[in-house]
Each structure stands twice: as structure tokens, then as C-alpha cells.
Amino acid sequence: MTIELQRPVDGQIVFDDPENLSFRVDRRAYTDDDVAAQEITKIFDRCWLYVGHESEVPELGSYVSRDVGGRPVVMARGSDGVIRVLANSCPHRGALICSQSTGQARSFRCPYHDWTFSNQGDLVGVPLPDGYGPGFRKSDFGLARHRSDSYRGFVFATFDPEQPLTLTEHLAGATEYLDLIADQSEVGMEVIQGAQLHGARANWKLMMENSVDIYHFRALHKRYVSYIESLGTMAPRRRGGFARALGRGHGANELVPAAARPLAYWTPMFPPEVRSRMEATAARFVERFGAERAQRITGANRALMIFPNLMIIDAIGITIRKIDPVSAGQMSITSVALAPQDEDPDIRELRKSHYLTFLGPAGFATPDDIEIIESCQRGYLNRTLRHSDLSRGMAKEVPETTDELPAREFWRQWDRLMHDDDREEGHHLTRRAERQGGQRR
Amino acid sequence: MTTDTMNTEPAVDETAQMRLWHRVSQFLFREARLLDEWRLREWYDEMLTDDIRYLVPATDVRGEPADALGLIDDNAARLRQRIEQILNGEVWCENPRSRTNRMISNVEIVADRGTHLDVAANVVVYRFGHGRSDCYVGKFRLELAVEGESFRVRRRLVVLDHESLYEHGKLSIIL
């Protein structure tokens, strides 16, 4: 599929007009190859990016290898217990030093010339070292260590040595929502084995927008709504809740659950025998956190969008969805489930089972999301229509979850980064009214 | 996993084995045809047991670890829902319906346990629709309940050989 519009994208892409309650995005943002290339250098080469969860590397020497921002990396827990994000490329000639997706190792050996690196990234072995001159020092040839940090178990890295923000500064208001997820277990959360690896023939930003858009739920996901209704759980027609912009491009929705929540929110779609246990769990959360916060943790669904490419959806299960651009019209998607480490085995089975009804490439909802964003991408081929509209809720003091405030927050940050003006603090103060829209109560 | 050897005694008549293998193969071919012809209710009613379990594990796990999350884990009720959704046109990516072609091969009776058989087979499903052509390649690991001269599927595990569904995006048909 080729897209012939090759007008240079030097003009405006995001048309943000609060006075006229209008917010439009030029559709070339989704289709243009130059825009896609610029996003890599201006966003993915600079931002803090999600790498993985600490529970994926539980033991000394555990590692996972994956692509982050288009770059192959290894997230490894060294023998010293420290989690590092290392470049998965030999400093000698460039081959991948790790071709397993997960495992446990004291060292990584490059298969090309047997250069060997400790699980902390130090070069520890070079065959036939006498071939190098006297100035050759192993310490100059360790694996590149990317700057990384974690927040409540979520590990991020940045490839920009000049990145002025700490991870916590970058996460801004999103930390409140990560706390609501991390607090779901006293002993810690863990990623469940078995990733849903798929993709879509659509621009990556369409999946970000879709993942935080509640407006489409009743229209696009009719079959899921009928499914949960067939199990005796009625999804409320108006979900209520609130949408928020969390700064730095992050946004969230929080709302009444449409279905049960395996942590501690029972509805008839779960078997009666787990009801009292779930209610007891809910009561324990009230003791631990007080009624209001406990209600938020156990009795609300949320979708958290972390700029640029991470979605955490906390509903019938918790999914961590990493969305990676491949080209203007193609993305890859990696989804894993997160759950309390100390969950009862039968509730874990319920969680996994119901997770699959909604989520993943064969669920009763995600395939329709994939299909509809691919449909959008095809629709953009009709270039008569130049803009997409994302103005819902601009007129409201308190935007609802069916409004598009989180998407606007995403696009405003995207626009700042693409124009290199994110480091001017003034921009963070503009449109304060909408930024704080949806503050609770 | 089951063993590779057939649970047979040397005295067993080879023709009986061949007849059984033929009946199993015919059963699987018929199943493939019903699915290709979108006769999903017939397939559900006539070819599955009431306690059917239809499973598709995640593509990044090997073997069948019990604690792993998969792609599909349907019991009878959920499989029925899946079928009705597809047939009612509620699945956007199967409306209009795609064309599919299921190729079943390497059919092998791994174990004959009297009341049921463990059957292995290879499967390739081609799917065409909405401007796409997708190919799903996998292995059937089936448990067939013996019902007189015919069978019903009690457990239908489809292990995909793909590293990911990156090319496909989704799995909207029954494999």
C-alpha cells in the first residue's frame, strides 16, 4: 500500500484552538514517512521509554532481551542485584550478544568472536588478546549501559544522555496511577508468563489514542458488552468517572467497572464461591488505605497512557501494552498481564481466563480495536479529508471518560517534542485550565 | 505431553489400525470443511463434547506451562459465544466473512486409550479478507472422545509455530 501524499510536512500538524473549542490533527501525522522518521529522533531517541517490569528478572543473572524504541537491549539483573539496561550489540563488531528472549546467565558471549561480558555489562574475556596493542583496555569495551531507572517496579530507560528529566519528573502525574496499580499487592506485582505479541497495519499513535478512548466502548465493543451481560453483569450505560491530563503527555481515565475485577470486585460473572474472599480482600484494602483510596484501588477501572508508547489498562485484568512504531503504517504490540504475586491460585486462573475474553489478539474486544485502527489508516488514503477531530470535552470544566482530553494531552506533548520546544517551561503552564480538567471532585 | 509410541499390542490387526486412522483423518477433514464453510453451529453441535476446551497458547512460550497466559482458553459456553459473535456479524474483522482454507496433515494417533484417542496433526490455515492474506501454521493436539464409529473433540489445543502474530495482528477465526 503506497501513500502518494508527499507534501513536505513542514507546516502545522496539531491545531489546538481552545478559544473555538477545536482540536484537530493533520492526518499526515499518521501516514507520512518523514514524520515517522522524525518521531524516532525527536521522541524515541530522547524520551524515557518503558523497558519491562522488575518481576521479569527475578533472580541474580535473570535477563530479558527486547527492542525498546527500535533498539535491541537486554534488561539484566546483574550478579550484584542491580537491574541494568544494556545495549544488545557487541562493541567489537555489532552482533547481538544475546539471542534468547529470556533466561539466566552469569555472562553473555558474542557468538561472532567469543567476546564475553559479565551480566553487569563488563567485558571479561577476549580470545587472542595479544592481537591488540598495548593501549587496548577491556574497560573501554563494555556493553553500552543505557541510563535507566524504575518506578514501583516499572523499568524505563532513555537513550538521551542529555535528558534533563529524572524518571519521576518525566512520569509527572502518572505516578499517582502507577501507585494505584503497584499498591494492589503488599508483596509486589508480577508479570504473568506468556506475552501476547502482535501488531497492526496502522500508525502506532492510533493504538495509543484507542487505548485511552472510552467513547468507542459501547459502539465498537458491542459483542463484549453482550458477552458480559450474558454472564449476568450489566455494564452501566453511562460509565461516569473522569478523564485527566497528567502532564508531559500522559493521561488517564478512571471509571466504574463494566465487569468484575479479579483483585476484589465481584460480579456474577465470577463464581459465587470466591465472593466472600474477594469481599474480605476489599475490606483489607480499606484497613490498609482508608475507604476512599481502597475504593479507588479495588473498585475502579483505569486506563493509563504514559507518553510516548506505554498503556497500562487496569480492568478485567491488568495489561501492560507496549506499542512500537515500525513504519508510518505499521506497529508492533507487546502485551503482558500483571497480577499480585500473592494471588490465590484459583483467582489467578479466573484472572487469566477473563483477561482473554477482552484482551489480546483473539479476545472479544482487541481484534476489533486492531481492525478499526487499520480501517482508519486505510481511510486516510482519502486525502480530501485532511484532519481528525479530537475536541470532545473541550468545553467541559470536568471532562468525562468519553471525552478526548488524554489524547489531547498526548498530542500537545508530541507537538512540543517534534518542535524541540519541550524544554521551555512556559509551555507546561499554558492551558492550565484544561490540563487540570477532571480533577476529582 | 503424551508419549510417541502407540499403545498397542503386537497382535492387533493392522487393518483395524488403518481403519481407525482413516476414520480419525476423515473426522478432522470434515471438521476443517465445516469451519471453512462457516458452518460453525453444526461444528459445535455435532463435533464437540459438552466439556470441550479450546486452547491456543501464547507464541512466546514452549510446551504448555500451566501458569502461563495464552491467547485463547474457551470452555463450551465461551466458544459458543465466539461462534455466535462471528455468525451475527458482530466481529468487524469477519464481516464480511473472510475466506479460509484449512490444510490438515501428518495425522497421527498418538495413543488409543479405548474411550478416547490422543491425536496429533499439523494444520495450516490460510485466511483472505479485508485486503489481507494471513497464514496460521500450527500443531493440533487433540483429545477425541470415541462415540461408536465416530468421535467428538474434548480438548482442542492449537500450538502456533509463529514467533508472534505481528503480521496477522489478530486471530479472529477459529483455527
Side-chain angles (χ1 to χ4, degrees), chain A residues 76-392:
Chain A
R77 192 184 288 270
S79 297
D80 58 353
V82 176
I83 295 177
R84 296 180 180 80
V85 179
L86 307 166
N88 189 1
S89 176
C90 184
H92 175 214
R93 299 271 283 272
L96 301 179
I97 52 97
C98 176
S99 50
Q100 302 288 334
S101 60
T102 178
Q104 197 172 357
R106 300 173 65 88
S107 59
F108 300 105
R109 191 169 65 214
C110 176
Y112 200 173
H113 301 93
D114 274 351
W115 280 31
T116 306
F117 305 87
S118 75
N119 56 21
Q120 301 173 43
D122 300 318
L123 177 62
V124 292
V126 175
L128 309 176
D130 52 351
Y132 291 102
F136 179 87
R137 289 180 314 196
K138 284 185 193 160
S139 57
D140 292 336
F141 289 91
L143 296 174
R145 289 176 186 165
H146 302 299
R147 181 176 160 198
S148 65
D149 198 358
S150 71
Y151 183 84
R152 305 289 315 262
F154 298 91
V155 180
F156 292 76
T158 173
F159 302 117
D160 179 6
E162 312 281 304
Q163 172 54 253
L165 301 177
T166 64
L167 173 60
T168 310
E169 286 168 345
H170 164 75
L171 291 172
T175 55
E176 175 186 335
Y177 288 81
L178 289 172
D179 289 341
L180 290 167
I181 290 158
D183 280 341
Q184 295 185 17
S185 168
E186 279 180 274
V187 300
M189 303 294 282
E190 66 181 5
V191 166
I192 301 174
Q193 189 191 0
Q196 299 183 324
L197 306 171
H198 59 127
R201 289 183 194 172
N203 186 269
W204 65 280
K205 298 185 291 297
L206 286 169
M207 195 63 186
M208 293 300 292
E209 290 174 352
N210 171 276
S211 301
V212 79
D213 174 51
I214 306 292
Y215 187 31
H216 78 261
F217 184 80
R218 276 200 161 267
L220 186 67
H221 298 312
K222 287 188 183 75
R223 62 166 168 147
Y224 181 72
V225 173
S226 355
Y227 170 69
I228 54 175
E229 287 182 355
S230 79
L231 300 176
T233 298
M234 292 299 149
R237 189 154 289 279
R238 276 197 93 82
R239 300 283 294 282
F242 51 95
R244 281 175 66 186
L246 302 171
R248 307 271 182 208
H250 318 310
N253 275 316
E254 198 164 8
L255 67 171
V256 177
R261 289 169 55 80
L263 179 66
Y265 185 87
W266 187 91
T267 77
M269 67 193 285
F270 282 174
E273 56 269 24
V274 299
R275 182 174 191 169
S276 58
R277 225 180 324 148
M278 286 187 146
E279 286 168 355
T281 306
R284 270 207 316 284
F285 273 82
V286 172
E287 270 173 42
R288 245 176 95 202
F289 295 105
E292 190 179 339
R293 184 171 174 77
Q295 164 60 25
R296 244 187 121 187
I297 294 172
T298 62
N301 282 0
R302 58 191 65 82
L304 171 62
M305 175 182 67
I306 295 183
F307 189 91
N309 68 331
L310 174 67
M311 282 297 316
I312 301 178
I313 299 167
D314 174 11
I316 186 72
I318 302 172
T319 187
I320 302 175
R321 186 181 280 168
K322 176 172 165 286
I323 297 163
D324 289 297
V326 176
S327 63
Q330 175 75 51
M331 76 182 89
S332 73
I333 303 168
T334 306
S335 293
V336 293
L338 190 74
Q341 278 175 24
D342 51 345
E343 194 160 52
D344 289 347
D346 58 338
I347 293 184
R348 173 63 65 89
E349 285 309 308
L350 271 178
R351 172 188 294 276
K352 280 161 46 191
S353 171
H354 284 276
Y355 181 102
L356 295 182
T357 60
F358 190 87
L359 292 159
F364 289 172
T366 304
D368 300 315
D369 289 317
I370 300 291
E371 182 68 17
I372 206 71
I373 60 175
E374 291 184 343
S375 161
C376 293
Q377 193 78 19
R378 286 199 297 273
Y380 298 155
L381 289 170
N382 190 327
R383 301 179 312 281
T384 315
L385 303 165
R386 294 260 321 261
H387 301 101
S388 287
D389 185 281
L390 290 159
S391 65
R392 273 185 73 88

